[in-house]
């Protein structure tokens, strides 16, 4: 391999001739050989968008020539569009501020347009300490808005259709995994739908805090080397570029040292994950069987379920989704711990925060889309099984409480269960209530 010599304030270093990065990227590449996880491209593209916007602001404020500003914008746009994704080799596990990744972007832009200096031009009016947290926010908002929320809304639509189709299908309700009073399957599905709708509201609310960017704070929040009004101009340019509604954060000291907005939005994402766990578990339990489980619903048979048991079909989409949920909950713990570790004017755990929140968003987006397409859309109802379960349930006796009282109703239930007979047969023997009254009271349609 052919090399060229690059230099920085530490000295000279060899860089592969084909690489578009410089000395600081190369040092990080050599010094942090830790794992295989690279800095997410979503963060890289967000940093490039900030470089583009900073160039617009710096030109407008008289800090940067039009020629250099246009070169930065053109080069940054190529990075945003994914043309140079192979030029960002640095791992997540690096300096806690993300400085080397910020410099990686600066250096690549400066190599695409050799007239530029990575620090003096591309990084003008900026510090990693305000760029990197802003990039986390930009990438988080973009990923949630473009992927997670649309996937969730598609699943909501699927459940709304399933709910409407089964609004009159009566089945046994269950609490504590035990028989309870009847519900319709539509009512059961409506809970899933509203869970997800509520999660969308929670996430959108949390995004309001993420959209406040600390750009212009530079190194410690004072804005040293950043001209007056840079924050407003840079954020305006960013909104024009990405079609978002970011706003400058008033207190930059807070924005550099605290990551509570990311903790908050990931908490909302975790809430979505928890509800998805409940929904997936409900579905695989309702579909359990086909002969010896609940068997009240049918799910698509996507692949053979066993290497030894012929004809077996498993709820694999439910299992994939719930595994993703476990990862997201683990990521929440990592983000929570990392965000608690800010010292003085900086949180130096930002790369892992960036990595984990983007991973959670991407995994959940993919898992929800897969679950919807390969499972939820194919759910059908086993009407015979649902009807038989309602017929066999003893908990319809709850409706007798207002007729004969709790204790007499319990006596009827216990006798029926002990002797393996129906409530009607038990009443024929115990003669607790008039037959016609019993029939009228135990009508499941009146209990929903």
């Amino acid at each position: 391999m052919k090399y060229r010599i690059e230099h920085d304030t530490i000295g000279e270093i060899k860089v592969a001739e084909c690489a578009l990065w410089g000395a600081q990227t190369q040092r990080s590449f050599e010094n942090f050989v830790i794992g295989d996880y690279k800095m997410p491209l979503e963060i890289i593209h967000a940093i490039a968008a900030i470089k583009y916007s900073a160039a617009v602001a710096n030109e407008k404020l008289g800090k940067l020539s039009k020629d250099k500003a246009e070169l930065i914008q053109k080069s940054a746009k190529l990075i945003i569009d994914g043309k140079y994704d192979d030029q960002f080799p640095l791992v997540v596990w690096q300096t806690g501020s993300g400085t080397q990744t910020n410099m990686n972007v600066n250096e690549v832009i400066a190599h695409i347009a050799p007239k530029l200096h990575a620090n003096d031009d591309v990084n003008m009016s900026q510090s990693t300490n305000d760029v990197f947290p802003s990039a986390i926010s930009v990438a988080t908002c973009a990923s949630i808005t473009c992927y997670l929320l649309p996937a969730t809304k598609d699943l909501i639509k699927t459940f709304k259709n399933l709910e409407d189709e089964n609004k009159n299908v009566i089945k046994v309700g269950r609490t504590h995994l035990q028989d309870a009073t009847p519900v319709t399957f539509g009512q059961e599905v409506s809970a899933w739908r509203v869970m997800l709708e509520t999660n969308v509201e929670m996430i959108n609310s949390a995004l309001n805090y993420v959209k406040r960017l600390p750009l212009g704070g530079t190194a410690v929040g004072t804005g040293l080397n950043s001209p007056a009004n840079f924050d407003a101009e840079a954020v305006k340019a960013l909104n024009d570029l990405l079609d978002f509604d970011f706003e400058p954060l008033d207190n930059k000291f807070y924005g550099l040292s605290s990551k509570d907005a990311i903790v908050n939005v990931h908490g909302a994402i975790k809430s979505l994950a928890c509800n998805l766990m409940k929904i997936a578990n409900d579905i695989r339990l309702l579909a359990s069987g086909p002969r010896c489980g609940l068997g009240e619903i049918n799910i698509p048979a996507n692949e053979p379920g066993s290497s030894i048991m012929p004809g077996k079909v498993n709820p694999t989409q439910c299992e994939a989704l719930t595994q993703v949920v476990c990862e997201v909950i683990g990521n929440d713990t990592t983000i929570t711990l990392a965000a608690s570790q800010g010292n003085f004017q900086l949180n130096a755990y930002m790369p892992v925060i960036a990595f984990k929140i983007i991973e959670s968003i991407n995994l959940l987006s993919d898992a929800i889309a897969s679950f919807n397409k390969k499972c939820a859309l194919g759910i059908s109802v086993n009407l015979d099984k649902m009807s038989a379960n309602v017929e066999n349930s003893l908990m319809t006796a709850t409706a007798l409480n207002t007729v004969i009282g709790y204790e007499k109703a319990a006596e009827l239930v216990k006798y029926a269960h002990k002797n393996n007979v129906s409530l009607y047969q038990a009443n024929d023997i115990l003669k607790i209530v008039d037959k016609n009254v019993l029939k009228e009271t135990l009508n499941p349609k009146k209990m929903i």
Side-chain angles (χ1 to χ4, degrees), residues 122-142:
V122 186
N123 203 59
M124 180 181 286
S125 306
Q126 307 152 64
S127 164
T128 298
N129 297 352
D130 63 345
V131 167
F132 202 88
S134 297
I136 296 174
S137 293
V138 170
T140 296
C141 288

Side-chain angles (χ1 to χ4, degrees), residues 363-382:
L363 281 174
L364 265 187
S365 300
D366 289 348
I368 292 169
S370 179
F371 178 77
N372 185 36
K373 181 179 179 181
K374 299 292 185 180
C375 181
L377 281 166
I379 290 174
S380 62
V381 170
N382 189 337

Side-chain angles (χ1 to χ4, degrees), residues 268-319:
I269 293 169
K270 183 181 70 171
S271 293
L272 169 62
C274 290
N275 278 339
L276 289 167
M277 176 72 86
K278 180 263 193 297
I279 291 167
N281 282 337
D282 279 357
I283 288 172
R284 61 177 167 183
L285 285 170
L286 289 171
S288 61
R291 297 278 179 93
C292 302
L294 294 182
E296 291 187 344
I297 64 172
N298 308 300
I299 57 176
N302 295 321
E303 63 273 315
S306 174
S307 62
I308 187 172
M309 292 175 279
K312 194 172 190 294
V313 175
N314 294 332
T316 53
Q317 289 295 320
C318 296
E319 292 164 0

Side-chain angles (χ1 to χ4, degrees), residues 148 266 269-270 272-274 276-277 280 284 316-332 356 358-371:
L148 183 59
H266 197 277
I269 293 169
K270 183 181 70 171
L272 169 62
C274 290
L276 289 167
M277 176 72 86
R284 61 177 167 183
T316 53
Q317 289 295 320
C318 296
E319 292 164 0
L321 179 58
T322 52
Q323 288 179 84
V324 166
V325 167
C326 292
E327 182 74 4
V328 170
I329 292 172
N331 285 351
D332 192 72
K356 288 301 180 181
I358 295 302
E359 181 184 56
S360 287
I361 295 167
N362 288 344
L363 281 174
L364 265 187
S365 300
D366 289 348
I368 292 169
S370 179
F371 178 77

Side-chain angles (χ1 to χ4, degrees), residues 192-210:
W192 304 342
R193 170 182 59 81
V194 175
M195 285 177 196
L196 300 183
E197 289 174 343
T198 303
N199 291 138
V200 169
E201 293 174 5
M202 289 177 176
I203 291 170
N204 277 324
S205 176
L207 281 178
N208 290 325
Y209 299 96
V210 180

